[in-house]
Amino acid sequence: MIRQFGDTFVLDTENTTYCMKKLVTGQMEHLYYGKKLYIDREEDVLSLVEKHEFAPGNTNIYDSDHPQYSLEDMRLEMSSYGKGDIREPFIETVHDDGAMTDDFIFESAVIEDGRQKLSVMPCAYDDEKTVNELTIILADKNYGLKLELHYCVFEGRDVITRYSKLINESESDVRLKRLMSMQLDFEDSGYVFTTFNGGWAREMNRHDTLIYAGKHVNSSYTGSSSSRANPFVMLSHEDTSEDHGDCYGFNLVYSGNHYEACEVSSFNKTRYVSGINPQSFEFLIQKGEAFETPEAVMTYSPYGFNGMSQIMHEFVRECIVRGKWKHKVRPVLLNSWEAAYFDINESRLLKLAKAGKDVGVELFVMDDGWFGTRNDDKQSLGDWYVNKKKLPQGISGLCKKINDMGLDFGIWVEPEMVNVNSNLYKEHPEWVIEIPGKPHTEGRNQRILDFANPQVVEYMTNVMSDVFSSAAISYVKWDMNRIFSDYYSKYLPKERQGECAHRYILGLYSMMETLTQKYPDILFEGCAAGGNRFDLGILSYFPQIWASDDTDALYRVNGMTGYSYGYPMSVVSAHVSACPNHQTLRTTPLATRFNVAAFGVCGYECNLCDMSKNDLLEIKEQISIYKNWREVLMYGTFYRGRCGNVHEWTCVSKDRKRAVGMIMQELVQPNIQFEQFFPKGLEEQAKYKFFNRDLRYNIKGFGDLVNTASPIHIKQDSVLHNVISKFVTMPGECEEYTSSGSVLMAGVKLKQGFAATGYNDNTRYYQDFGSRIYFMEMI
Ligand code: GLA
């Protein structure tokens, strides 16, 4: 709900309030964002207004009529350089006369039922609950510019989104150097700024920075939202924990270069801004034109990180993801990449698909290598016609055979890229991002097509339409495997080169919009060398994203925990792969690889044709368990528990009748036999049955300890050892308890863990990277 009391605006969601008031000087003063406040009259907010009788020493007063105000010490809804506020600005422009000072003051406000859509970028929506929009219109005192601050209140979601729009109503051009999507000023300091950083194959590691002074920036300049610094960030307090304390969560519906800065002023006030990265950004806005920012998402919860995450999860699931797959469980897929890399052909793919079908896979995906002369990553990107040597009957022939097996068929593409060694590059060098006549810095032997040029977007949209129409394709993995260098669009004039990176994203969005509208049944999965473009912009078109090229279970448990702060597990695609793992050479138990992947959109990416019978049996059982529980896993409420040497997750169905839990340990602690599992989110008084899977262990996992039980001596790794291990397995412990949710949540004491002595079916065999998955059913 949005209410106006005189100069005061109060924005309420079910459990939060956001409040601002026009200052006598005309700027909008930020008053509050946090837990719900009950406000009925303008006077009710007076205690929230900062009191100023004089401007602090060595600061500038805004104007002589109001000597008590220095903008440097005010909480503002937007700020700019030049009129006293020297902190991180919301907007920076260069006017026709060369001046760089903006002076925006309140002009009017509009409150609407429903929300406006952004004109060139995706934005959040709500089909089920009320959304209202407040537009504060500010006018620059000197230059004929208007600035709209938009606030969309997603009442039943506890989310408020913001975006802004600059309109040039002056007679001359203006050069826009930065325009943020949001600004939030707090009256105090000492916030913990949490960002999620990493790189290829190690995305989303949580970093906490306590800020009492200075500025901390989280940004990307890769041309994408990046694996280096995800646009999702949090602000909390030092004592905030997973389940208690204040937590603000922020994200941006944008896939390009982004910027989140947290700064503490000399008056101990914290400012947070977020938007398009101003680095090398410049947009020329001619008379009568406007520029709109991406939408920023913000939420607050007093219930710790989990409380905030759960709001974000529901918001992403309901208000960002759209289309047919929004509420549909996703098929269990088998992807050819780690099974065969570029070495694919029809017969190999069919064998792999058949092996997948036998264990319960539902969708077979042909990854890279099927087009042009794509035998390695040095060629053919851009040449999207089938390699007839590998697939003599084309995509349609292969697809038909896969469909006949009872499997759906999916394909990999990388539409934004081109290899210099390709026909497309030879025919259209002018369609590529590179500086004419200058050497180019390469990434993965490829270059980026200039999606700032509408002709390139149109061409590639048509090419992709041809590919998607060429067979019964029901899934597309849309990849993007390099970061930008040498930013330059040959389509744009030299004074507009600062627009290249942003216009690229607009071109990308228009292509994604056309193709997802044209192929509404296709399940699209985003990918950018794994998680180099994992953001709400992509999720506005594609309901899931390949989270990382790293399929190692130990990395994944950390990476998926990182993603889980801002994103629901229903958008995080996760695969079980072979061991030693291809990225880390680490060996983790097959059960653990599944237990971790099952919490995301679970698939397989390994050569099933070469796997042992026992492993295939295990995978078959995993897939059947997953199918039985995937509704809960994909759409339940996700809780993080411990996160350290022990990782704990629980996912509880909406009606709280079913839940799945996961515990994993990184390294074994010798002579520590005790462990417990803490489920979360169960109904306190309801009775649940708590149980685990039937597990049997390969005796080879016990090494030559086999001799403590065997009547004959068995040499470790001998032929005999291998033969016996095929027939003899060790029983796993059984955990079965029936009690109320409150009792289970007090900690389920697990069977004693193996520690040197003895082993029987009441012992928990729990090696390095060991894990368990537990099920809870209300009775
Ligand atoms: C990227 C993706 C991988 C795979 C390869 C194919 O690295 O992240 O999953 O598709 O490209 O070249």
Side-chain angles (χ1 to χ4, degrees), residues 200 337 342 367-368 374 412 414 444 477 479 481 527-530 546 549 605:
W200 176 75
W337 183 241
F342 292 104
D367 209 279
D368 199 352
R374 185 81 172 162
W412 176 96
E414 194 176 355
R444 210 196 186 203
K477 178 175 169 189
D479 212 338
N481 274 315
C527 176
W546 180 228
D549 274 355
E605 187 167 335

Side-chain angles (χ1 to χ4, degrees), residues 121-135:
M121 272 177 283
C123 59
Y125 69 103
D126 202 335
D127 282 343
E128 282 164 21
K129 302 193 178 186
T130 314
V131 189
N132 294 307
E133 181 160 350
L134 165 70
T135 307

Side-chain angles (χ1 to χ4, degrees), residues 32 34 181 219 296 301 314 330 344 416 645 726:
Y32 176 85
S181 298
S219 68
S301 170
E314 181 166 305
R330 317 282 160 71
I344 54 171
E416 299 156 69
N645 193 49
K726 290 214 169 82

Side-chain angles (χ1 to χ4, degrees), residues 692-718:
N692 65 340
R693 291 177 60 185
D694 273 348
L695 287 167
R696 297 203 66 89
Y697 296 104
N698 188 330
I699 58 158
K700 290 196 72 184
F702 296 84
D704 75 352
L705 280 177
V706 66
N707 288 305
T708 61
S710 166
I712 52 156
H713 186 77
I714 302 167
K715 191 174 160 201
Q716 192 180 345
D717 292 328
S718 62

Side-chain angles (χ1 to χ4, degrees), residues 195-198 201-207 242 547-548 550-566 569 572 574 584 586 588 592 595-597 599 638 640-649 662 664-667 769:
T195 60
F196 295 86
N197 311 89
R202 52 175 168 77
E203 296 86 346
M204 293 303 275
N205 298 290
R206 176 177 155 179
H207 291 283
E242 281 295 352
S548 175
D550 194 341
T551 51
D552 169 52
L554 177 61
Y555 156 68
R556 277 280 175 161
V557 80
N558 282 294
M560 284 164 69
T561 296
Y563 279 114
S564 78
Y565 283 93
M569 286 294 115
V572 178
T584 60
R586 191 182 347 255
T588 55
T592 293
N595 293 347
V596 173
F599 277 75
F638 179 88
R640 285 174 303 273
R642 283 170 289 171
C643 174
N645 193 49
V646 172
H647 299 263
E648 258 173 331
W649 296 336
M662 201 280 297
M664 174 180 164
Q665 92 173 339
E666 296 196 350
L667 296 179
F769 321 120

Side-chain angles (χ1 to χ4, degrees), residues 497-537:
Q497 288 304 324
E499 302 175 14
C500 172
H502 180 57
R503 282 184 186 269
Y504 177 91
I505 296 296
L506 299 184
L508 172 68
Y509 286 154
S510 90
M511 177 164 171
M512 290 164 84
E513 171 76 19
T514 310
L515 289 170
T516 49
Q517 290 297 323
K518 188 163 172 196
Y519 299 97
D521 294 334
I522 291 183
L523 170 59
F524 284 91
E525 175 162 327
C527 176
N532 197 42
R533 204 166 58 185
F534 199 110
D535 59 67
L536 300 183

Side-chain angles (χ1 to χ4, degrees), residues 103 155 253 257 291 308 324 365 510 596 722 751 769:
D103 191 3
E155 204 171 322
V253 188
N257 294 333
F291 182 89
M308 182 282 307
K324 173 178 156 180
V365 178
S510 90
V596 173
N722 288 332
K751 295 271 164 74
F769 321 120

